Amino acid sequence: MEYIENLSKTIIYIENNLTNKLTIEDISHYSGYSKFHFQRLFHQVVGETVGQYIMNRRLSEAATLLVNDSMNILQIALELGYESHEAFTRAFNKRYKMSPYQFRQLGVTTEFIYKNPIDVQYLTNKNKNLLGDIEVVTLEDLRLKGYMASNTSHEEIYASWSKLRRDIHKYDKTDTYFYGVLHYPKSFGLEIDFKYIAAVEEDEIIQLPNQELKEITLPKSNYLIFNHQGSAEALPLSYEYIYGVWLPKSKYVANGLYDFERYRSFEEGTKHAIQICIPITSK
């Protein structure tokens, strides 16, 4: 599992430079992947963006110093790469729901509030191959309409699906596809602002005067279609394999600013495979 080893080396690089300025260009170059490919892979394997991982690790190190070291708060902030006491306090308060001063006064030591570096064993244990048949197909323009999650948390994604399910007028027909589209920005740094929309093809949804409904057109493209045979909760494991193992060794390159899952049914317990669709070109 070469990608596990590459990610492990990259995480060691991040840990060794946690107090230095890090850029996505430097980190992805060290990994051997393009920054676009690396962000996708890291997010699917680790469960957070590179920027989120670095921020949470720095705040965890700051929390340790607050409890176990006599450095003042400004010194800790500067040590961990924050430009000011205020910026550090805002980030710390957002994660720990208290100020650095309150945290130090409380003297919290439980390991559960800290984020430890990810190790090789963790990455290896997460790896499972849940993929069935793989196809290369051409899909025409897809004109979709649905609900965009306000962020990519599980709660917001489920909420977008709930709204879509309410508005479908050809619910659970065998000829209806449901699309979960993950859209990537054209440019990004350590942090990356994904957008997620739960959608159907335009003529499948009730035409309601609803300002929440979003329209999106995915252009005609060749796609790799992977048939994921596990639960929706296990989808990240298939994405790990696709971006970490299958694509780097294939003759294809992911060439879109999006990928999507395609479902046949909303019903719980149905056996339909979930299709993971990735627009590609040949190398």
Side-chain angles (χ1 to χ4, degrees), residues 74-90:
L74 178 58
Q75 287 175 314
I76 292 173
L78 297 176
E79 175 72 16
L80 271 301
Y82 288 89
E83 295 182 356
S84 69
H85 186 291
E86 291 74 16
F88 171 62
T89 298
R90 281 196 302 271

Side-chain angles (χ1 to χ4, degrees), residues 19-281:
T19 59
N20 300 325
K21 183 177 180 180
L22 290 165
T23 68
I24 190 63
E25 287 77 14
D26 290 340
I27 297 170
S28 58
H29 177 76
Y30 190 83
S31 75
Y33 299 117
S34 71
K35 70 173 186 177
F36 189 75
H37 187 95
F38 177 69
Q39 271 280 24
R40 285 187 175 188
L41 175 61
F42 193 95
H43 183 257
Q44 293 297 344
V45 176
V46 178
E48 56 191 349
T49 66
V50 182
Q52 288 170 335
Y53 177 82
I54 292 171
M55 179 187 69
N56 289 333
R57 281 290 301 123
R58 283 174 171 166
L59 289 174
S60 184
E61 291 299 304
T64 302
L65 290 172
L66 286 167
V67 174
N68 299 317
D69 199 284
S70 60
M71 293 171 64
N72 67 46
I73 292 174
L74 178 58
Q75 287 175 314
I76 292 173
L78 297 176
E79 175 72 16
L80 271 301
Y82 288 89
E83 295 182 356
S84 69
H85 186 291
E86 291 74 16
F88 171 62
T89 298
R90 281 196 302 271
F92 194 93
N93 191 65
K94 184 175 181 180
R95 175 165 172 76
Y96 291 109
K97 310 304 179 188
M98 66 181 77
S99 70
Y101 175 79
Q102 291 170 321
F103 190 93
R104 171 167 272 174
Q105 292 298 108
L106 200 59
V108 179
T109 57
T110 174
E111 63 180 288
F112 297 109
I113 68 165
Y114 300 116
K115 178 179 181 61
N116 294 317
I118 290 175
D119 58 23
V120 177
Q121 191 60 48
Y122 170 83
L123 297 175
T124 303
N125 288 343
K126 284 192 68 182
N127 184 67
K128 295 178 183 176
N129 186 359
L130 298 168
L131 294 171
D133 295 335
I134 301 169
E135 307 168 79
V136 179
V137 302
T138 300
L139 297 179
E140 299 296 326
D141 287 0
L142 290 170
R143 297 175 62 84
L144 306 178
K145 183 175 286 188
Y147 292 91
M148 185 173 291
S150 60
N151 58 58
T152 52
S153 70
H154 291 303
E155 293 77 13
E156 289 299 322
I157 289 173
Y158 292 152
S160 66
W161 279 109
S162 178
K163 293 174 184 176
L164 180 67
R165 181 172 180 170
R166 176 195 65 198
D167 289 353
I168 294 297
H169 65 78
K170 289 164 65 173
Y171 172 69
D172 207 29
K173 299 293 185 182
T174 56
D175 61 347
T176 299
Y177 277 119
F178 307 97
Y179 298 81
V181 183
L182 192 62
H183 203 278
Y184 303 90
K186 292 182 180 179
S187 60
F188 54 86
L190 288 173
E191 195 49 82
I192 184 168
D193 184 22
F194 301 101
K195 295 187 184 303
Y196 184 94
I197 183 171
V200 289
E201 293 187 52
E202 198 170 38
D203 60 356
E204 298 286 347
I205 196 164
I206 295 174
Q207 300 301 312
L208 298 176
N210 189 336
Q211 294 183 348
E212 280 192 85
L213 279 172
K214 304 294 182 183
E215 295 182 11
I216 182 174
T217 299
L218 305 182
K220 178 180 177 180
S221 179
N222 293 325
Y223 287 85
L224 281 169
I225 297 185
F226 299 83
N227 288 289
H228 169 86
Q229 300 183 64
S231 66
E233 288 74 20
L235 273 168
L237 298 174
S238 283
Y239 276 105
E240 287 178 29
Y241 180 79
I242 292 167
Y243 282 113
V245 176
W246 201 94
L247 269 174
K249 294 183 178 180
S250 77
K251 63 180 181 180
Y252 302 107
V253 177
N255 76 329
L257 293 175
Y258 62 91
D259 47 44
F260 60 86
E261 291 122 33
R262 194 162 68 166
Y263 305 81
R264 277 293 195 189
S265 176
F266 279 128
E267 290 295 310
E268 293 183 8
T270 52
K271 300 300 182 183
H272 297 296
I274 301 170
Q275 295 182 324
I276 297 173
C277 307
I278 299 174
I280 47 91
T281 55

